[in-house]
């Protein structure tokens, strides 16, 4: 159903992006969401807040992050691929942008205790980092399976003085960690600020996370225009909850929301063992609208409404839900959501490493894999790189240090 | 006046009617909670009968969900156990049908929103109604998000019980009360479900404040696990829900022993509620 309204004008006051979003939460946290909405509104128009955030992004995170033309990788895929290097950020992923913003809000609101959920451990690491920076108590919930498969991040989180609580319910992954973080929040609502790590959750979180991640898109757009004098043909990003994707895409939504022109936006979900296997995390491709973790959005669930345990080789994409704005953009047809399998992601992981000397996160490898498999690119029969080849801006959301164990074990099996 | 508003004005839910009775007899409501299908459907049915003869006034039956965000370890455990036996929503409906045929107790279903959405709101409410469910408690659905559900519930004369919490801004009390057509569910603690040994001293003030602001029946729940706390909690309100305490008894005892102990605990709480009343 095409729509005339751009999602950037959303959400409305009820936190809705079209039908999606809202606030499906236990009553206890309602007031905290109101307070957060208010604090965010004031902070957004506060020069001092903006200055502090901008300075930290520059001096602490190392922004702006480079835009890199990956020439040898481009030759492999037959597209001119520009990587937005979020992997070079302090702590190794885009997650730190959002954590700094939310931690500044927490400090402003006088909260002393921070909790977060994490899958890949990148959000946990970024949260533990900003807590060290601001002297805040920090508790990270992480699925027991993820604690094992992302061990390097767990060690770093602990070293930074945060507590890691392994969660043993469900599939012991991101969904379960989020349940447990929510329960902690309900219990400690007066003292605790919940830093949600993706563009998910009850209103105002999806709006806040988009705002703090929008720096990715703003920079990339400026860098593209400066470098090429034009916008890219495609913007591609992986989608777990959707924060790096909405961060980079938000700068390109407006151009074309009303007229179907140039920049095509592609979100890549985790296809796991393949869409037919039922073992995947391709929420927008295979899910239906439902309610989990506070918002109405696409979700993987069975006929009984029970949430299906997702699967992905990438802990950061191993989640059965997705941010509500992506559900809106999906229905509106503004963003195309595709998926690649574990295997394809692994192959892209190797390819980027070997052709560019950049080891990508398994999450980001999904976006890369789409350039090697997607219909828009595969059909370029010659795959010869030329000035006519499509220009792709790809969000390299993080680096792969955390994934060494898992990749090694998979490659040994092969 | 439209036909619709006339209907609203006249209709009173079975729950509301039951509360009028209780009020007349100066009796506080005792509402035991059991998870449907834990440890088995037959056992939940049996416990319902035990509860009825031990002095319960309503029953709350939990519809298991894969991700019970507002629940502590006991109810999480019972939900996952029940789901792992392959329990379906229609099993819970037929359980309620058997219970309401066998006992006089009105039954409230407690469940998360996604299974209801998955079934289809109006279909869900019709099936619930025809199996004898009198009211609904949905912990992740605040009244602001419940417009569609309210319409269907009203059509079927199904009571809705919205939750209020110690952190709720008093400005919202009237919205919550207005939307609640059965009782208002007063969450006693900022937290998840689970038996507790102590409550914040401010709980009493909060419940009193609620009662002076809300004219509809108020039921206190979350954490109440024995006679003395039930009596304390019920002082300003109209009844209590007790849940996790029973599940722990079932979890830690053989079935026959659990039945006895659950019955005994309900009797103990009944006595405490009644003695509190006579004071
Ligand atoms: C490097 C990296 N990319 C992407 C993601 C997925 O999250 P999102 O979809 O919110 O960007 C994660 C999550 O952990 C991550 O660590």
């Amino acid at each position: 159903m095409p729509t005339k309204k751009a999602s950037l004008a959303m959400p409305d006051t009820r936190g809705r992006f079209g039908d999606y979003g809202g606030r499906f939460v236990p009553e206890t946290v309602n007031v905290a969401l109101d307070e957060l909405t208010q604090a965010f509104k004031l902070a957004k128009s506060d020069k001092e807040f903006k200055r502090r955030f901008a300075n930290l992004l520059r001096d602490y995170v190392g922004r702006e992050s480079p835009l890199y033309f990956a020439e040898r990788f481009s030759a492999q895929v037959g597209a001119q691929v520009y990587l937005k290097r979020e992997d070079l950020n302090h702590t190794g992923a885009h997650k730190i942008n959002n954590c700094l913003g939310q931690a500044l809000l927490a400090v402003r609101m006088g909260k002393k205790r921070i909790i977060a959920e994490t899958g890949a451990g990148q959000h946990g690491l970024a949260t533990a980092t900003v807590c060290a920076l601001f002297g805040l108590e920090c508790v990270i919930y992480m699925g027991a399976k993820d604690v094992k498969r992302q061990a390097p991040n767990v060690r770093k989180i602990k070293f930074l003085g945060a507590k890691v609580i392994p969660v043993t319910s469900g599939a012991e992954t991101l969904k379960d960690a989020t349940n447990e973080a929510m329960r902690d929040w309900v219990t400690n609502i007066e003292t605790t600020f919940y830093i949600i790590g993706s563009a998910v959750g009850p209103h105002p979180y999806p709006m806040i996370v988009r705002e703090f991640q929008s720096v990715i898109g703003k920079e990339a757009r400026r860098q593209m225009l400066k470098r090429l004098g034009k916008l890219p043909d495609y913007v591609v990003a992986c989608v777990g909850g959707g924060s790096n994707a909405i961060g980079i895409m938000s700068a390109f939504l407006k151009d074309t929301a009303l007229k179907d022109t140039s920049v095509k936006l592609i979100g890549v979900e985790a296809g796991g063992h393949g869409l037919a296997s039922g073992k995947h995390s391709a929420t927008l491709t295979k899910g239906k609208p439902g309610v989990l973790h506070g918002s109405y959005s696409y979700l993987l669930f069975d006929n009984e409404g029970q949430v299906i345990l997702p699967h992905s080789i990438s802990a950061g994409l191993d989640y059965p839900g997705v941010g509500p704005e992506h559900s809106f953009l999906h229905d509106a047809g503004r963003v195309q959501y595709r998926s690649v399998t574990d295997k394809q992601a692994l192959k892209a992981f190797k390819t980027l490493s070997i052709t560019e000397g950049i080891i990508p996160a398994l999450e980001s490898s999904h976006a890369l894999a789409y350039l090697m498999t997607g219909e828009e690119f595969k059909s370029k029969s010659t795959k010869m790189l030329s000035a006519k080849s499509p220009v792709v801006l790809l969000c390299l959301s993080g680096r792969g240090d955390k994934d060494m164990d898992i990749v090694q074990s998979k490659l040994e099996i092969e | 006046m439209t036909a619709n508003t006339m209907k609203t004005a006249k209709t009173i839910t079975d729950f509301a009617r039951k509360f009028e009775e209780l009020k007349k007899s100066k009796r506080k409501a005792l509402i035991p909670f059991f998870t449907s299908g834990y440890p088995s459907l037959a056992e939940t049915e049996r416990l319902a009968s035990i509860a009825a003869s031990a002095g319960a006034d309503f029953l709350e039956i939990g519809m298991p969900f894969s991700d019970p965000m507002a629940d502590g370890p006991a109810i999480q455990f019972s939900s996952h156990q029940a789901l792992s036996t392959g329990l379906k929503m229609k099993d819970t409906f037929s359980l309620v049908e058997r219970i309401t045929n066998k006992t006089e107790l009105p039954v409230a279903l407690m469940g998360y929103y996604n299974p209801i959405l998955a079934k289809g709101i109006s279909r869900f409410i019709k099936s619930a109604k025809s199996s004898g469910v009198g009211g609904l408690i949905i912990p992740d659905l605040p009244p602001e998000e419940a417009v569609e559900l309210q319409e269907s519930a009203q059509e079927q004369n199904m009571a809705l019980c919205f939750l209020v919490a110690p952190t709720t801004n008093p400005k919202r009390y009237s919205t919550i009360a207005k939307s609640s057509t059965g009782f208002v569910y007063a969450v006693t603690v900022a937290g998840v479900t689970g038996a507790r040994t102590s409550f914040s001293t401010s709980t009493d003030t909060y419940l009193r404040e609620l009662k002076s602001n809300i004219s509809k029946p108020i039921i206190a729940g979350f954490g109440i696990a024995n006679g003395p706390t039930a009596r304390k909690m019920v002082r300003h309100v109209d009844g209590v829900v007790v849940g996790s305490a029973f599940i722990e008894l079932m979890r830690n005892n053989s079935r026959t022993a659990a039945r006895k102990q659950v019955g005994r605990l309900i009797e103990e709480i009944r006595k405490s509620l009644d003695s509190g009343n006579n004071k």
Side-chain angles (χ1 to χ4, degrees):
Chain A
M1 152 205 17
T3 172
K4 290 235 152 60
K5 210 166 161 199
S7 71
L8 287 179
M10 298 182 199
D12 64 16
T13 52
R14 292 166 57 232
R16 295 282 187 153
F17 299 86
D19 287 342
Y20 300 106
R23 230 184 231 184
F24 296 83
V25 288
E27 177 60 26
T28 304
V29 305
N30 212 303
V31 66
L33 294 170
D34 279 341
E35 284 166 14
L36 179 58
T37 307
Q38 190 58 21
F40 177 65
K41 199 172 144 197
L42 293 175
K44 244 183 98 169
S45 54
D46 177 356
K47 279 210 184 81
E48 177 55 24
F49 182 92
K50 287 198 286 197
R51 195 187 56 82
R52 246 187 118 187
F53 185 45
N55 285 352
L56 283 166
L57 286 179
R58 186 191 62 211
D59 304 336
Y60 190 73
V61 178
R63 303 202 73 94
E64 60 183 30
S65 66
L67 183 73
Y68 168 69
F69 176 51
E71 195 171 346
R72 282 179 21 93
F73 184 74
S74 295
Q76 296 272 319
V77 301
Q80 306 177 63
V81 182
Y82 288 80
L83 301 178
K84 179 61 175 163
R85 298 289 306 274
E86 294 301 300
D87 62 314
L88 293 177
N89 291 343
H90 180 43
T91 69
H94 67 295
K95 300 285 181 186
I96 189 90
N97 304 328
N98 170 50
C99 287
L100 267 179
Q102 287 199 46
L104 282 172
L105 281 179
V107 169
R108 213 184 139 96
M109 293 170 76
K111 304 282 183 183
K112 301 264 187 286
R113 179 174 179 270
I114 303 288
I115 58 169
E117 84 294 339
T118 196
Q122 287 301 131
H123 175 59
L125 174 58
T127 304
T129 300
V130 297
C131 287
L133 176 65
F134 294 121
L136 302 166
E137 182 190 344
C138 180
V139 176
I140 305 292
Y141 290 92
M142 189 167 188
K145 176 175 171 190
D146 293 339
V147 169
K148 281 197 205 100
R149 63 175 162 170
Q150 308 278 226
N153 274 344
V154 177
R155 282 197 293 273
K156 285 185 202 162
I157 294 169
K158 288 185 180 161
F159 192 71
L160 288 163
K163 191 164 153 191
V164 177
I165 301 187
V167 176
T168 53
S169 56
E172 311 192 341
T173 56
L174 182 53
K175 165 181 82 89
D176 314 291
T178 308
N179 288 337
E180 230 20 66
M182 287 270 182
R183 292 184 187 115
D184 179 315
W185 200 36
V186 172
T187 309
N188 300 295
I189 194 83
E190 310 265 349
T191 57
T192 299
F193 189 105
Y194 181 11
I195 300 191
I196 292 186
S198 190
V200 300
H203 177 63
Y205 280 103
M207 169 176 87
I208 290 179
V209 176
R210 175 184 69 196
E211 175 68 24
F212 291 144
Q213 291 293 5
S214 66
V215 64
I216 306 174
K218 281 180 195 148
E219 287 177 8
R221 183 188 169 91
R222 198 168 58 230
Q223 290 166 317
M224 274 315 271
L225 286 172
K226 195 166 163 208
R227 183 89 55 98
L228 298 182
K230 62 173 185 176
L231 294 176
D233 299 311
Y234 294 93
V235 175
V236 181
C238 67
V239 178
S243 70
N244 87 89
I246 205 66
I248 195 159
M249 289 174 183
S250 56
F252 300 92
L253 286 170
K254 223 171 22 188
D255 301 309
T256 46
L258 304 178
K259 38 187 168 83
D260 184 30
T261 55
S262 55
V263 186
K264 297 184 184 64
L265 307 177
I266 298 176
V268 186
E269 299 190 299
H273 296 321
L275 295 183
S277 71
K279 299 221 165 301
H280 57 76
S281 307
T283 308
L284 287 160
T285 317
K286 282 288 184 183
K288 292 168 291 197
V291 165
L292 182 72
H293 297 152
S295 67
Y296 179 64
S297 194
Y298 276 75
L299 179 67
L300 297 170
F301 57 90
D302 66 17
N303 290 336
E304 290 284 309
Q306 306 296 342
V307 178
I308 292 173
L309 298 181
H311 164 81
S312 171
I313 190 175
S314 136
L317 304 184
D318 197 348
Y319 183 69
V322 68
E325 188 166 1
H326 287 291
S327 291
F328 172 81
L329 292 168
H330 170 72
D331 284 6
R334 178 64 191 100
V335 181
Q336 306 305 313
Y337 295 89
R338 306 282 193 243
S339 71
V340 301
T341 63
D342 287 355
K343 269 210 175 112
Q344 292 168 332
L346 269 171
K347 187 162 174 219
F349 180 98
K350 277 193 280 187
T351 308
L352 191 76
S353 301
I354 290 165
T355 58
E356 297 290 347
I358 296 173
I359 299 177
L362 278 172
E363 290 76 17
S364 326
S365 300
H366 283 70
L368 294 163
Y370 192 72
L371 303 187
M372 302 167 70
T373 58
E375 51 185 303
E376 295 86 345
F377 306 100
K378 205 166 62 182
S379 60
K380 307 271 168 291
S381 53
T382 55
K383 286 224 171 177
M384 287 291 288
L385 191 59
S386 77
K388 286 210 190 87
S389 305
V391 174
V392 176
L393 167 64
L394 185 139
C395 188
L396 194 70
S397 56
R399 67 174 90 124
D401 309 25
K402 68 188 177 62
D403 296 316
M404 290 295 100
D405 292 349
I406 184 164
V407 170
Q408 190 171 356
S409 71
K410 291 289 169 199
L411 295 183
E412 275 162 13
I413 291 167
E414 269 176 19
Chain B
M1 215 189 229
T2 66
N4 201 22
T5 54
M6 260 169 63
K7 198 163 132 206
T8 323
K10 279 193 188 153
T11 314
I12 159 162
T13 62
D14 296 343
F15 272 32
R17 195 171 300 116
K18 174 86 180 180
F19 275 106
E20 282 177 6
E21 278 172 40
L22 290 172
K23 199 170 166 188
K24 269 189 212 130
S25 55
K26 292 207 161 81
R27 182 177 160 105
K28 302 279 190 180
L30 169 51
I31 312 182
F33 168 97
F34 301 118
T35 301
S36 169
Y38 175 74
S40 71
L41 280 162
E43 201 60 23
T44 314
E45 190 180 339
R46 192 169 268 140
L47 288 164
S49 301
I50 292 172
S53 41
D57 301 295
F58 291 77
L59 274 185
E60 186 182 335
I61 298 292
M63 225 175 13
F65 180 50
S66 52
D67 296 86
M69 189 165 76
D71 285 300
I75 295 179
Q76 281 177 52
F77 170 81
S78 63
S79 304
H80 288 140
Q81 282 298 111
L83 287 175
S84 71
T85 67
L87 185 90
K88 298 224 170 5
M89 189 184 277
K90 67 173 172 24
D91 301 323
T92 298
F93 285 149
S94 30
L95 169 73
V96 172
E97 199 167 350
R98 290 195 300 277
I99 292 175
T100 47
N101 283 337
K102 228 154 79 181
T103 76
E104 299 283 305
L105 302 184
V107 172
L109 270 192
M110 192 291 281
Y112 289 80
Y113 194 38
N114 199 56
I116 297 173
L117 269 180
K119 181 68 71 177
I121 290 173
S122 135
R123 242 182 91 200
F124 172 85
I125 294 207
K126 278 187 194 138
S127 311
K129 184 72 188 183
S130 68
S131 62
V133 172
L136 298 175
I137 301 161
I138 309 169
D140 60 346
L141 188 72
E144 288 85 349
E145 303 285 4
V147 178
E148 202 185 335
L149 188 93
Q150 279 168 321
E151 280 168 16
S152 288
Q154 198 180 62
E155 241 166 57
Q156 295 291 324
N157 198 24
M158 171 77 69
L160 295 181
C161 311
F162 288 96
L163 291 84
V164 62
T167 53
T168 300
N169 185 333
K171 282 191 206 137
R172 270 167 64 76
Y173 287 170
S174 69
T175 308
I176 292 167
K178 221 182 292 163
S179 315
S180 301
T181 51
F183 54 80
V184 173
Y185 192 125
V187 174
T188 52
V189 291
V192 293
T193 57
R196 291 177 163 248
T197 46
S198 70
F199 285 85
S200 145
T201 45
S202 57
T203 310
D204 192 69
T205 325
Y206 148 70
L207 292 173
R208 195 179 55 217
E209 197 60 18
L210 268 187
K211 192 62 195 173
S212 67
N213 276 281
I214 293 176
S215 60
K216 295 208 170 132
I218 299 173
I219 296 296
F222 278 37
I224 302 169
N226 55 37
T229 45
R231 187 166 147 187
K232 243 188 254 163
M233 289 299 139
V234 89
R235 220 175 115 203
H236 308 293
V237 300
D238 305 289
V240 294
V241 173
V242 180
S244 299
F246 300 132
I247 290 169
E248 275 167 18
L249 288 176
M250 292 177 229
R251 196 175 172 178
N252 299 328
N253 291 286
S254 73
R255 288 191 186 187
T256 39
R259 276 176 220 152
K260 262 197 206 121
Q261 294 191 35
V262 168
R264 238 184 270 141
L265 181 54
I266 294 175
E267 282 166 12
E268 176 203 315
I269 297 170
R270 177 77 267 159
K271 252 191 226 140
S272 300
L273 293 179
D274 293 348
S275 71
N277 259 1
N278 298 336
K279 274 214 309 200

